[in-house]
Amino acid sequence: MKEKDYIEELIANNLDALNDNEPFEGHFERFEAKLKAKNRTRKISLNLVLKVAAVVVFAFLATNQAFIYFSPDSQGLILNANKSKAVTLASVSPEYQEVEFYYTTSINTGLEQWNALSAEGMISEDEEAMMQDELKEFERLYKNLQSDLAANPNDERVINAMLEFYQTKLSLITMIVNKLEEVKQQKNNHNESI
């Protein structure tokens, strides 16, 4: 209890000094008014920001749709599709034209190697028929992708599907030709060792 008495005595001796640190008259009311004003402006500013964002998004979408509708490039591609002309990646952009050229050249080279191996008798009739069926299936898929590209010339999904088509066709032909080349090499090595 001695400590309690000491604290009470300390407060009693310094009561005048402690009372000098009270806030001025009306401090709590002004503080409360500032808090209310700050909360009110936050709600208004957030609401305003959401409205402005909605207007900007709407304006962007409207501009984009107008651009697509009035763009001469997209109308030309659609007209070309209606005239039954083939729409390819080359009609989308010069960069895609280079990519398409690479893939078509590589695929044609692989098919030439396939035909050379077939002429050498490395491929049976069943394997030849199976390859022709696969090539027909690739051609059917390519026609579908071309019609999708004609309908949506700037759609990245269609463009990526075309690129994946070329990659898949090239990798399949390359894999088959490489395996046939290995078999041919083994056959030659076996014949030389006899």
Side-chain angles (χ1 to χ4, degrees):
M1 289 211 195
K2 213 175 193 185
E3 281 185 37
K4 196 174 193 181
D5 293 335
Y6 173 73
I7 292 175
E8 286 179 14
E9 183 180 331
L10 184 64
I11 292 174
N13 290 341
N14 296 315
L15 191 58
D16 291 334
L18 291 173
N19 285 338
D20 285 345
N21 293 328
E22 287 290 320
F24 296 114
E25 193 76 27
H27 169 75
F28 293 109
E29 291 80 19
R30 287 190 307 273
F31 186 72
E32 186 176 357
K34 285 182 182 178
L35 282 177
K36 285 181 182 178
K38 188 174 183 182
N39 286 340
R40 190 172 352 121
T41 58
R42 274 192 185 165
K43 288 180 185 175
I44 291 172
S45 66
L46 180 61
N47 196 11
L48 181 65
V49 168
L50 291 176
K51 286 180 184 178
V52 169
V55 168
V56 168
V57 168
F58 177 75
F60 174 73
L61 290 175
T63 304
N64 187 34
Q65 289 302 316
F67 178 75
I68 289 171
Y69 183 74
F70 293 113
S71 173
D73 292 336
S74 66
Q75 287 178 351
L77 290 176
I78 291 170
L79 290 176
N80 286 343
N82 292 338
K83 292 180 183 177
S84 300
K85 283 191 175 181
V87 177
T88 63
L89 288 177
S91 61
V92 175
S93 77
E95 291 84 14
Y96 289 133
Q97 181 179 10
E98 291 177 21
V99 171
E100 187 174 46
F101 178 76
Y102 164 76
Y103 280 120
T104 54
T105 304
S106 299
I107 289 169
N108 289 336
T109 302
L111 290 175
E112 288 172 7
Q113 290 174 336
W114 168 267
N115 290 333
L117 290 169
S118 179
E120 292 177 15
M122 295 295 301
I123 302 168
S124 69
E125 290 180 18
D126 291 339
E127 291 170 337
E128 183 72 37
M130 201 174 1
M131 183 64 160
Q132 292 305 321
D133 288 342
E134 287 297 320
L135 291 175
K136 286 177 186 174
E137 181 64 26
F138 273 117
E139 189 62 29
R140 185 190 62 74
L141 180 61
Y142 183 70
K143 295 290 183 192
N144 289 342
L145 288 171
Q146 277 185 318
S147 64
D148 288 347
L149 186 64
N152 305 304
N154 296 322
D155 190 349
E156 287 295 319
R157 295 174 299 174
V158 176
I159 293 170
N160 288 334
M162 290 281 283
L163 293 174
E164 287 178 23
F165 165 80
Y166 283 128
Q167 290 170 348
T168 303
K169 187 173 180 180
L170 178 60
S171 65
L172 177 72
I173 291 171
T174 303
M175 180 185 68
I176 291 171
V177 167
N178 287 342
K179 291 296 181 184
L180 288 172
E181 289 287 344
E182 286 178 21
V183 169
K184 179 182 173 184
Q185 188 66 30
Q186 288 175 356
K187 210 177 204 184
N188 288 341
N189 289 342
H190 179 69
N191 289 339
E192 289 175 3
S193 65
I194 293 179

